[in-house]
């Protein structure tokens, strides 16, 4: 199911404390589960602090996932905050044929040059802009889920958006839910390939 | 209480529980002390201090008045006499058995 | 139909508690247990349980409140981790001596110091001789199911012994997995009503619990407690097989899971979440033609000595993985038990012990591979370089 020939897709999320990287790792897992996949989602275990770099992980597979070791060689890396590119090595462990999806206004070509990135498939998406447009706030996590499923044809964005609506009904105000749903759909279309 | 002393470990009640209420009644400690309290009815003001303090409920009370001491259970600890507030003479004094 | 939910291990256990619907739950927060009681407090606030939630001021008080209410005849639970469990230590022995079948999830975390909030087994291993049953969970599903089964095991009239359900801190407690939650009414029926042996609130039959117990009876009471404890051996198996029959689950319901052990020559013995990665390594080695196996111990107390001896004695070699140290002992606590189990067997396998994962230090498949490699080498050369070693230690 993945380009690397593994039977399991391993995703690493980079964000800053408070941006929703951990939540995104879980929401994606829940959607994948609703759509019949086996899943795992977990944060990097530590003391979380607002603004500090954080990592979270999602595993998706057709077979039951039984291992509990860390994700050291992810297939996909998702970066919720472009300022992290200067702070942490987001490509650590990412194979030559892995995928990198970055929240930025810049184009993939500009980012590739800025990072000096070799190999890998690179996507960019203005998740912050999409979030501001739909929610009035910079919460880039749901657009990044949309960008991931849209770019990688992983799951049907419409089903993921609908699953989000069902899961969060009653937990958030309707306009918040609809804003997030729209963000998932928008990002799935606006994500830019090289 | 006798049944506990005759039982093997596996026949004892679970968890060290004592199944009979008020079992101290059967534990006769009256022979313990060298001295014993003696009650002087004519001095007693029936304040009930001795009754409250006695650890063996050995102060006998009828109709709200102290009437005597249960020598079957009294250990002779002396607390009744110490706590007795009457002056100059105490209503309970300790005397050699 | 059972429900498939994406849950953390802590949430899964909170669901078990919701279905058990204990009369009293004492709660005190400690990482990484906190989110379990938070979830349970949600259930209380939403009116989904009838439990009296008692917010106490320490873990010593949490266990004391649980002991008090259980002794009064109420089914009572609490949950903790690490230093919280250490603070309970005094009352753990009282709970077991008073034969109070309290079930307590323990989210395994390293003990301070140095201060650390991540997973290892030093907390529950520190309480291994307190007279509690210790059941370890590999994943969120097992943590959920073990909590339900522990209730039946602990409350069995022949057992009446408290039980800890152990799950690895963060790895299981905070990781989201797909968990099957069985139907509420089936779980409730399986768990049944708590029938206390004694209750302090029965005014018609007043009893004394907690009387001074000197040399005339103390020893006798402790051996009687041990007999009850030992009765749990067969009850654990009975409850496990009834659970499997009732719910048709696919997890481990015996003392241990023996993965590819039938014709194994080399095996790794492991507790908790590391079994997942170990199973994967065993399958890899099998694909390479190595006769590898895994013994995942589910029940650490009572330790299944005879069963484990039967299983391990025919091996050429085995490595025991310990996520805690028994200072001054022979490596780690699991190793000590496994060695003891094999006394009197002939022949015995070459045995190595590895301490690993203290304070959340990662354990990767490569480390488990290296343990297998060491055993094979030791068997081949007849030379054990180091009986007690370390995995992923900077050395």
């Amino acid at each position: 199911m993945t380009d690397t020939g593994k039977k399991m897709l391993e995703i690493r999320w980079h964000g800053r404390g408070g941006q929703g990287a951990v939540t995104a790792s879980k929401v994606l897992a829940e959607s994948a589960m609703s759509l019949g996949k086996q899943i795992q989602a977990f944060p990097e275990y530590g003391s979380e602090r607002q603004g500090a770099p954080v990592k979270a992980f999602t595993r998706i597979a057709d077979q039951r996932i039984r291992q509990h070791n860390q994700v050291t060689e992810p297939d996909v890396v998702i970066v919720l905050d472009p300022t992290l590119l200067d702070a942490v090595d987001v490509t650590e462990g990412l194979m030559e044929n892995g995928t990198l999806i970055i929240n930025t206004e810049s184009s993939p070509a500009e980012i590739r040059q800025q990072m000096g990135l070799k190999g890998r498939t690179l996507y960019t998406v203005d998740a912050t802009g999409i979030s501001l447009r739909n929610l009035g706030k910079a919460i880039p996590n749901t657009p990044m889920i949309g960008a991931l499923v849209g770019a990688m044809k992983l799951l049907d964005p419409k089903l993921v958006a609908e699953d989000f609506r069902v899961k969060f009904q009653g937990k958030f105000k309707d306009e918040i839910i609809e804003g997030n749903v729209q963000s998932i759909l928008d990002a799935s279309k606006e994500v830019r390939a090289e | 209480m006798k049944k506990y002393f005759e039982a093997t470990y596996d026949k004892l009640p679970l968890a060290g529980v004592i199944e009979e209420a008020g079992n101290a009644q059967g534990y006769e400690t009256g022979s313990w002390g060298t001295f014993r309290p003696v009650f002087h009815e004519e001095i007693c003001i029936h304040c009930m201090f001795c009754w409250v303090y006695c650890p063996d409920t050995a102060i006998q009370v009828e109709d709200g008045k102290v009437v005597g001491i249960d020598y079957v259970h009294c250990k002779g600890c002396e607390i009744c006499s110490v706590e007795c507030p009457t002056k100059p003479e105490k209503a309970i004094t300790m005397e050699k058995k | 139909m059972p429900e498939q939910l994406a849950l953390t291990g802590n949430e899964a256990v909170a669901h078990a508690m919701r279905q058990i619907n204990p009369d009293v739950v004492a709660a005190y927060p400690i990482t990484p247990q906190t989110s379990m009681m938070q979830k349970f407090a949600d259930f209380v606030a939403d009116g989904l349980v009838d439990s009296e939630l008692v917010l106490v001021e320490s873990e010593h008080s949490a266990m004391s409140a649980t002991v008090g209410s259980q002794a009064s005849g109420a089914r009572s639970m609490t949950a903790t981790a690490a230093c919280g469990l250490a603070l309970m230590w005094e009352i753990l022995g009282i709970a077991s001596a008073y034969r109070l079948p309290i079930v307590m999830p323990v989210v395994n975390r390293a003990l301070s110091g140095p201060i650390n909030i991540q997973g290892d087994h030093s907390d529950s291993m520190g309480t291994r001789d307190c007279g509690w049953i210790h059941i370890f969970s590999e994943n969120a599903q097992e943590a959920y199911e073990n909590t339900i089964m522990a209730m039946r095991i602990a409350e069995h009239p022949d057992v009446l012994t408290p039980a800890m359900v152990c799950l690895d801190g963060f790895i299981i407690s905070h990781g989201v997995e797909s968990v099957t939650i069985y139907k509420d009414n089936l779980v409730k029926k399986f768990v049944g009503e708590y029938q206390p042996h004694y209750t302090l609130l029965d005014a018609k039959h007043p009893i004394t619990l907690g009387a001074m117990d000197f040399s005339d009876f103390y020893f006798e009471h402790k051996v009687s407690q041990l007999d009850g404890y030992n009765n749990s051996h067969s009850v654990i198996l009975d409850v496990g097989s009834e659970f499997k029959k009732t719910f048709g689950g696919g997890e481990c319901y015996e003392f241990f899971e023996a993965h590819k052990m039938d014709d194994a020559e080399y095996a790794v013995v492991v507790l908790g979440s590391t079994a997942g990665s170990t199973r994967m390594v065993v399958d890899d080695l099998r694909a390479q033609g190595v006769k590898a196996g895994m013994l995942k111990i589910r029940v650490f107390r009572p330790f299944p000595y005879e069963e484990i001896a039967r299983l391990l004695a025919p091996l050429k070699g085995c490595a025991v993985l310990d996520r805690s140290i028994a200072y001054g002992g022979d490596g780690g606590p699991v190793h000590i038990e496994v060695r003891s189990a094999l006394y009197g067997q002939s022949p015995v396998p070459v045995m190595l012990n590895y301490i690993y994962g203290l304070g959340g230090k990662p354990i990767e498949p490569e480390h488990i591979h290296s343990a297998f490699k060491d055993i094979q080498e030791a068997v081949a050369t007849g030379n054990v370089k180091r009986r007690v070693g370390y995995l992923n230690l900077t050395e």
Side-chain angles (χ1 to χ4, degrees):
Chain A
M1 85 178 263
T2 68
D3 296 343
T4 51
K6 286 195 294 185
K7 286 181 186 151
M8 181 165 58
L9 184 72
E10 294 184 308
I11 300 166
R12 184 171 71 215
W13 303 79
H14 288 272
R16 291 192 178 274
Q19 288 179 332
V22 175
T23 306
S25 72
K26 292 181 181 179
V27 169
L28 175 68
E30 284 194 47
S31 290
M33 195 188 85
S34 302
L35 300 172
K37 300 287 186 189
Q38 296 285 331
I39 53 102
Q40 235 180 37
F42 50 97
E44 185 184 51
Y45 316 115
S47 312
E48 284 90 14
R49 292 146 297 154
Q50 187 98 22
V54 296
K55 282 185 259 182
F57 307 91
T58 307
R59 284 190 170 115
I60 301 174
D62 291 323
Q63 302 298 316
R64 181 169 180 192
I65 303 166
R66 304 208 68 160
Q67 77 233 52
H68 286 107
N69 52 309
Q70 296 197 317
V71 172
T72 49
E73 293 178 353
D75 303 286
V76 184
V77 170
I78 301 175
V79 183
L80 268 62
D81 187 327
T83 66
L84 286 169
L85 296 178
D86 300 325
V88 292
D89 177 13
V90 299
T91 60
E92 188 188 358
L94 184 65
M95 301 302 235
E96 278 283 304
N97 54 358
T99 301
L100 188 58
I101 308 176
I102 297 173
N103 169 23
T104 172
E105 292 173 10
S106 308
S107 70
E110 286 163 344
I111 291 292
R112 184 173 285 282
Q113 197 191 3
Q114 179 194 325
M115 291 178 70
L117 183 71
K118 293 194 179 67
R120 286 96 168 197
T121 310
L122 178 64
Y123 296 93
T124 64
V125 63
D126 182 14
T128 304
I130 292 171
S131 176
L132 283 170
R133 185 203 312 156
N134 291 312
L135 285 164
K137 286 189 276 199
I139 305 187
N141 61 352
T142 43
M144 291 309 282
I145 293 174
L148 167 74
V149 294
M152 298 199 64
K153 312 279 180 277
L154 184 63
L155 303 162
D156 181 347
K158 284 195 192 109
L159 294 177
V160 172
E162 185 51 33
D163 185 67
F164 184 92
R165 183 180 281 135
V166 172
K167 288 265 163 54
F168 289 92
Q169 213 139 45
K171 291 184 186 168
F172 294 123
K173 287 184 194 156
D174 282 352
E175 60 257 38
I176 305 265
I177 293 176
E178 291 314 313
N180 276 293
V181 164
Q182 198 56 49
S183 294
I184 293 171
L185 295 173
D186 286 357
S188 73
K189 291 177 210 137
E190 292 173 29
V191 62
R192 296 157 79 182
E194 281 180 282
Chain B
M1 294 304 282
K2 202 172 161 204
K3 72 170 187 185
Y4 295 145
F5 285 96
E6 285 171 355
T8 52
Y9 84 94
D10 52 328
K11 300 289 187 294
L12 289 169
L14 280 190
V17 156
I18 300 167
E19 291 176 331
E20 296 76 19
N23 54 70
Q25 188 77 28
Y27 198 32
E28 297 181 357
T29 47
S31 66
W32 285 18
T34 309
F35 290 81
R36 68 178 185 184
V38 175
F39 176 56
H40 310 290
E41 195 182 356
E42 67 282 5
I43 301 173
C44 182
I45 56 170
H46 304 290
C47 67
M48 296 293 148
F49 275 24
C50 55
W51 178 79
V52 167
Y53 279 102
C54 177
D56 292 291
T57 53
I59 305 295
Q60 294 168 321
V61 174
E62 279 171 23
D63 299 327
K65 299 204 160 171
V66 178
V67 296
I69 288 158
D70 168 9
Y71 290 123
V72 177
H73 294 100
C74 170
K75 297 198 288 263
C77 76
E78 207 180 334
I79 196 163
C80 52
S81 177
V82 169
E83 294 299 333
C84 182
T86 58
K87 284 174 185 170
E89 303 294 328
K90 283 181 182 281
I92 299 178
T93 54
M94 299 304 290
E95 290 174 18
K96 201 155 195 301
K97 277 186 191 167
Chain C
M1 272 289 284
E3 209 179 349
Q4 197 79 15
L5 297 175
L7 298 173
T8 64
N10 275 351
E11 290 167 344
V13 173
H15 273 282
M17 291 175 66
R18 174 182 62 74
Q19 295 179 315
I20 291 163
N21 193 11
D23 300 306
V24 175
V25 171
Y28 190 78
I30 184 165
T31 302
Q33 173 275 123
T34 307
S35 58
M36 182 190 295
M37 277 305 182
Q38 272 175 350
K39 185 75 184 167
F40 186 75
D42 278 355
F43 294 143
V44 174
D46 292 346
L48 297 175
V49 290
D50 309 309
S51 311
E52 181 77 30
L53 186 67
V54 189
L55 304 180
V56 291
E57 72 278 24
S58 76
E59 287 86 357
H60 190 279
S61 303
M63 187 41 62
S64 299
T66 311
V67 162
S69 60
Q70 187 86 30
S72 76
R75 186 182 264 160
S76 310
M77 297 180 80
T78 183
T80 193
C83 313
L85 184 62
L87 188 57
M88 282 181 183
W89 202 89
E90 177 192 12
I91 314 299
L92 296 176
I94 293 175
S96 56
Y98 291 176
R99 309 295 296 275
L100 301 173
I102 296 161
V103 172
M104 174 167 68
V106 172
V107 185
N108 286 112
R109 165 188 147 181
L111 284 175
S112 298
I115 192 163
N116 178 294
I117 58 166
Q118 296 177 309
D120 73 30
H121 295 158
S122 39
D123 51 0
S124 69
M125 287 301 171
T127 68
R128 69 184 171 171
D129 296 333
C130 285
W132 284 57
I133 292 163
H134 289 206
I135 305 177
F136 277 81
S137 316
E138 180 188 329
N139 50 44
Q141 184 71 37
E142 282 195 358
Y144 163 73
E145 296 186 356
N146 283 337
T147 306
I148 295 165
M149 280 184 273
M151 199 53 86
R152 280 283 303 278
I153 296 162
E155 289 180 2
H156 192 286
D158 296 342
V159 178
L160 293 174
T161 293
M164 288 179 201
V165 175
C166 301
L167 54 151
D168 284 343
F170 287 105
I171 299 169
I172 303 305
S173 68
H174 284 60
V176 172
E177 297 184 341
S178 150
V179 180
T180 305
I181 300 292
Y182 302 115
K183 277 185 80 83
D184 288 1
N185 59 343
L186 287 182
V187 174
K188 280 185 203 313
K189 198 171 148 221
F190 183 85
V191 171
E193 281 283 312
Y194 173 44
Q195 304 291 344
H197 189 80
Y198 292 113
T199 144
L200 292 176
L201 295 184
D202 182 356
K204 289 202 181 103
H205 304 96
I207 54 156
T208 303
L209 177 66
M212 181 61 82
D213 202 15
F214 281 132
S215 53
D216 39 6
F217 288 118
Y218 181 88
F219 189 7
E220 280 71 16
H221 284 139
K222 294 314 275 185
V223 177
S224 158
Q225 178 189 340
L226 176 61
D227 281 2
Y229 192 102
N230 288 339
N231 289 339
S232 68
H233 194 269
S234 60
V235 171
I236 288 166
L237 294 180
D238 291 348
V239 170
S241 82
E242 193 189 324
F243 190 93
K244 193 176 167 66
K245 218 166 76 188
T246 309
F247 299 102
E251 304 303 316
C252 179
Y253 301 111
E254 295 168 0
F255 293 124
F256 44 72
E257 177 194 336
H259 180 68
K260 307 209 166 154
M261 288 293 287
D262 283 349
D263 62 340
E265 293 176 345
Y266 309 96
V268 158
V269 181
V270 69
L271 295 184
S273 65
T274 309
S277 312
T278 307
R279 193 183 290 103
M280 194 170 76
V281 170
V282 165
D283 294 351
D284 278 359
L285 288 169
R286 283 278 171 170
Q288 294 165 27
V290 178
K291 288 191 170 173
M294 173 188 75
L295 178 68
K296 173 185 91 178
I297 297 177
R298 171 179 175 246
V299 182
F300 178 71
R301 281 284 185 272
F303 195 82
Y305 289 97
E306 286 175 23
E307 295 83 352
I308 283 183
R310 269 200 298 278
L311 207 65
L312 294 185
L315 296 175
K316 287 184 180 166
C318 78
V320 180
L321 267 50
D322 265 292
R323 205 161 193 153
S324 62
I325 300 174
Y327 292 93
D330 192 0
V334 185
H335 177 240
I336 293 171
E337 302 297 353
V338 172
R339 272 191 107 79
S340 175
L342 284 167
Y343 182 82
Q345 300 287 325
S346 182
V348 287
V350 172
M351 191 181 297
L352 305 179
N353 182 208
Y354 289 96
I355 311 288
Y356 77 100
L358 300 190
K361 187 78 168 214
I363 173 98
E364 302 295 335
E366 71 204 59
H367 304 127
I368 301 164
H369 269 295
S370 78
F372 269 110
K373 201 165 143 263
D374 290 353
I375 317 167
Q376 291 177 69
E377 225 175 78
V379 169
T381 61
N383 177 22
V384 172
K385 281 189 214 141
R386 188 154 70 158
R387 227 156 58 95
V388 180
Y390 310 96
L391 295 179
N392 200 15
L393 173 76
T394 310
E395 62 179 329

